[in-house]
Amino acid sequence: IHGSTESGPPIQISFDGGTKDGSSGAGAILWTLNHQGALSKTATAMAALPGVSEVLEAEAWGLKLAIQLAIKSNAQPKTARVCGDCAPITKYTAGQGHIRKQQVVATLETPLGNLARSGWTFIWETVDRRHNAAAHDLATLARENCRTPAG
């Protein structure tokens, strides 16, 4: 994650999803500000996504993992800057856009409802891909563990 937390919450969550050559994966990282003022990984999650072939759906799974990390954590305050490199997903979740792909909406529906009930507040931010490298690396690792056999 890139940037200062001086004006933002001490908790940040990054997420990513990806597809390549018939394999898909997603990853998320919960970061907290340590005593030295640097962000430290507090929790990670990743998922291999067999059957997912659309990058937007893989990105939605990354966000789903991010929401699950927040809800399961004991981090305080329950406010986080949430960063992803997929503008359609962050705009949709911030109420600034629509997604037409029903499978993507279905992937996000329950986690977003759980988020609303959990007491967490997310500040949504789209970041450049190069500033989302850690989450991208987790998604890539998950994707590589999901290789489909050549047929």
Side-chain angles (χ1 to χ4, degrees):
I1 293 181
H2 177 74
S4 172
T5 60
E6 291 175 13
S7 62
I11 301 165
Q12 297 186 26
I13 305 171
S14 55
F15 69 92
D16 195 36
T19 62
K20 183 177 179 182
D21 300 328
S23 300
S24 299
I29 304 171
L30 186 136
W31 308 82
T32 55
L33 205 58
N34 64 26
H35 296 295
Q36 292 78 33
L39 290 170
S40 298
K41 288 181 188 178
T42 302
T44 61
M46 64 180 185
L49 305 171
V52 172
S53 60
E54 294 285 331
V55 70
L56 203 59
E57 187 177 352
E59 291 278 358
W61 272 92
L63 178 55
K64 180 178 181 175
L65 294 173
I67 291 169
Q68 290 171 347
L69 284 177
I71 291 172
K72 290 179 182 178
S73 82
N74 294 322
Q76 292 291 329
K78 287 187 165 190
T79 300
R81 174 180 170 230
V82 181
C83 305
D85 57 28
C86 181
I89 294 292
T90 53
K91 286 180 179 180
Y92 173 75
T93 55
Q96 299 172 348
H98 300 291
I99 293 179
R100 293 188 176 139
K101 295 185 179 205
Q102 288 303 309
Q103 189 56 42
V104 174
V105 172
T107 299
L108 292 174
E109 186 175 315
T110 298
L112 288 171
N114 291 341
L115 178 65
R117 289 184 294 280
S118 72
W120 275 87
T121 299
F122 278 9
I123 300 164
W124 305 101
E125 185 173 342
T126 302
V127 296
D128 190 276
R129 181 170 284 148
R130 70 179 178 264
H131 299 308
N132 202 32
H136 176 78
D137 291 347
L138 274 180
T140 299
L141 181 60
R143 179 182 50 77
E144 289 172 351
N145 288 324
C146 183
R147 297 245 185 249
T148 55

